[in-house]
């Protein structure tokens, strides 16, 4: 009897992994890896280096480079973990954009979002478990000491984002920043995975997408922490709310901002759709139109042998249909 139950359970788990359930497991783990490495890099830059005695100068440009490259590498390895199973969206903005413009099934959108948020929460919990001593030590050694986590914006930034002071507390500046940053991300992802275009070979797309994130961090990161991913912000934000950062997490209040929690969710969702629409309008539809009439490679690029053979075959077919000799 127990063997039959065990066999049925094994079959049920196998069916789960074969279908959407397997994709959700991949999105969970890929997003968890993203956060473990990404938030981990912020923890090193903010609390780990100063508290360990390995850095004696204030937070500066070198720390920002750690964060920018940490998040870029986090994306690379998150994509490699999940890519073969789920496509490694690991970002609700990617899932929504692909549903709108890449025929991703709408029925999978909410389950993907849930898996991504839970994965982000789990990843943040791991970072917290490893770095909570460094966080508390950092707060205690400030001048004057920070009395509680709820008063520490610096350590909150290890997990979630907030806007720069120069926005003056208004919501539209950070919102536009998130729209633009995520639009750049999705536009370039669309370019890097489009095999009609100059998509990278040798399974290099993950690395180049990671470098896209590095570039966004280096060019737009100081505005609002470049969440550009609702799960990346919301999952860790939930963790900080539970572990003592209070109103900094929800509703997202600080000395110069308030009710901020929704901006790193809504901004990236809008920006992702904008980005993929921009790519499709300027590039994707052009490639489709050229493909429809049998156009060769873009002007100035020497065709590969395979492209040359395909073009010659297409020319022979056209010549035969038109009753003429093929051009040499």
């Amino acid at each position: 009897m127990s063997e039959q139950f065990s066999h049925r359970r094994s079959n049920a788990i196998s069916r789960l992994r074969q279908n959407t359930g397997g994709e959700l497991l991949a999105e969970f783990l890929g997003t968890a890896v993203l956060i473990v490495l990404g938030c981990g890099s912020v923890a090193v830059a903010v609390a780990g280096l100063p508290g360990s005695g390995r850095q004696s100068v204030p937070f500066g440009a070198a720390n920002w480079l750690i964060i920018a490259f940490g998040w870029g590498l986090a994306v690379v390895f998150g994509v490699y973990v999940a890519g073969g199973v789920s496509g490694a969206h690991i970002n609700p903005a990617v899932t929504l954009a692909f549903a709108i413009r890449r025929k991703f099934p709408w029925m999978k959108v909410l389950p993907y979002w849930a898996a991504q948020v839970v994965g982000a929460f789990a990843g943040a919990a791991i970072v917290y478990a490893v770095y909570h001593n460094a966080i508390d030590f950092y707060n205690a050694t400030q001048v004057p000491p920070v009395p509680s986590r709820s008063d520490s914006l610096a350590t909150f930034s290890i997990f979630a984002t907030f806007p720069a002071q120069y926005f003056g507390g208004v919501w539209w500046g950070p919102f536009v920043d998130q729209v633009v940053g995520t639009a750049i991300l999705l536009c370039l992802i669309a370019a890097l995975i489009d095999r009609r275009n100059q998509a990278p070979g040798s399974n290099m797309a993950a690395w180049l997408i990671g470098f896209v994130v590095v570039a966004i961090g280096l060019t737009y990161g100081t505005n609002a922490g470049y969440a550009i991913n609702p799960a990346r912000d919301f999952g860790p934000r939930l963790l900080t709310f539970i572990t003592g950062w209070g109103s900094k997490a929800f509703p997202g209040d600080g000395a110069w901002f308030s009710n901020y929690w929704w901006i790193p969710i809504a901004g990236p969702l809008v920006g992702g759709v904008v980005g993929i629409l921009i790519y499709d309008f300027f590039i994707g539809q052009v490639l489709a139109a050229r493909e429809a009439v049998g156009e060769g490679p873009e002007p100035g690029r020497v065709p590969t042998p395979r492209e040359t053979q395909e073009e010659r075959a297409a020319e022979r077919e056209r010549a035969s249909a038109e009753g003429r000799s093929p051009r040499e």
Side-chain angles (χ1 to χ4, degrees):
M1 190 70 171
S2 62
E3 290 182 1
Q4 291 179 348
F5 175 77
S6 176
H7 181 68
R8 286 197 300 270
R9 184 175 65 180
S10 176
N11 286 341
I13 294 173
S14 179
R15 287 194 299 271
L16 174 70
R17 289 172 173 163
Q18 290 168 358
N19 299 308
T20 303
E23 298 171 22
L24 301 183
L25 291 173
E27 285 295 303
F28 168 87
L29 183 59
T31 311
V33 168
L34 169 71
I35 300 301
V36 165
L37 298 179
C39 288
S41 72
V42 187
V44 166
V46 170
L49 282 172
S52 69
R54 294 178 174 86
Q55 178 176 313
S56 57
V57 296
F59 185 100
N63 301 76
W64 191 257
L65 288 175
I66 290 171
I67 292 170
F69 279 92
W71 277 110
L73 291 170
V75 170
V76 170
F77 295 115
V79 170
Y80 276 133
V81 163
V85 177
S86 68
H89 296 186
I90 61 176
N91 183 340
V94 173
T95 302
L96 178 62
F98 282 9
I100 290 174
R101 295 297 300 174
R102 293 297 181 271
K103 299 181 180 179
F104 183 76
W106 279 101
M107 64 182 296
K108 293 184 180 182
V109 169
L110 290 180
Y112 264 53
W113 285 3
Q116 291 155 0
V117 170
V118 175
F121 180 91
I126 292 171
V127 174
Y128 175 78
V130 173
Y131 277 104
H132 72 275
N133 298 109
I135 289 168
D136 292 341
F137 183 80
Y138 175 89
N139 289 335
T141 54
Q142 295 305 291
V143 181
V146 179
S148 68
R149 289 178 183 169
S150 62
D151 298 307
S152 178
L153 186 61
T155 55
F156 172 76
S157 72
I158 292 171
F159 299 98
T161 63
F162 60 89
Q165 192 168 358
Y166 48 70
F167 285 117
V170 298
W171 67 267
W172 59 266
F175 182 84
V176 170
D177 170 80
Q178 289 299 289
V179 170
V180 171
T182 316
I184 293 169
L185 175 66
L186 261 295
C187 182
L188 296 181
I189 287 175
L192 290 169
I193 65 174
D194 191 344
R195 296 189 181 278
R196 303 167 303 173
N197 205 339
Q198 296 189 42
S202 303
N203 204 21
M204 284 293 294
W207 278 97
L208 296 177
I209 292 170
F211 276 112
V212 169
V213 174
V214 173
I216 295 170
L218 294 178
T219 54
Y220 291 92
T222 57
N223 283 333
Y226 73 114
I228 59 175
N229 180 337
R232 169 264 174 277
D233 189 88
F234 187 69
R237 189 177 290 270
L238 285 173
L239 188 279
T240 59
F241 183 73
I242 294 169
T243 52
W245 278 270
S247 64
K248 281 189 169 46
F250 291 100
D253 292 343
W256 59 84
F257 58 93
S258 62
N259 198 35
Y260 185 76
W261 69 273
W262 64 274
I263 291 176
I265 297 174
L269 291 175
V270 173
V273 175
V274 170
I276 204 163
L277 288 174
I278 288 173
Y279 177 81
D280 283 352
F281 180 80
F282 285 98
I283 303 297
Q285 292 175 3
V286 173
L287 290 170
R290 289 167 61 87
E291 193 175 51
V293 297
E295 287 283 348
E298 68 280 3
R301 183 165 73 89
V302 177
T304 65
R306 179 179 177 183
E307 289 172 335
T308 303
Q309 293 170 6
E310 290 174 349
E311 288 171 13
R312 287 175 178 171
E315 168 61 16
R316 286 195 295 269
E317 290 179 5
R318 286 195 295 268
S320 176
E322 296 169 5
R324 57 177 175 81
S325 299
R327 295 191 302 266
E328 292 298 330

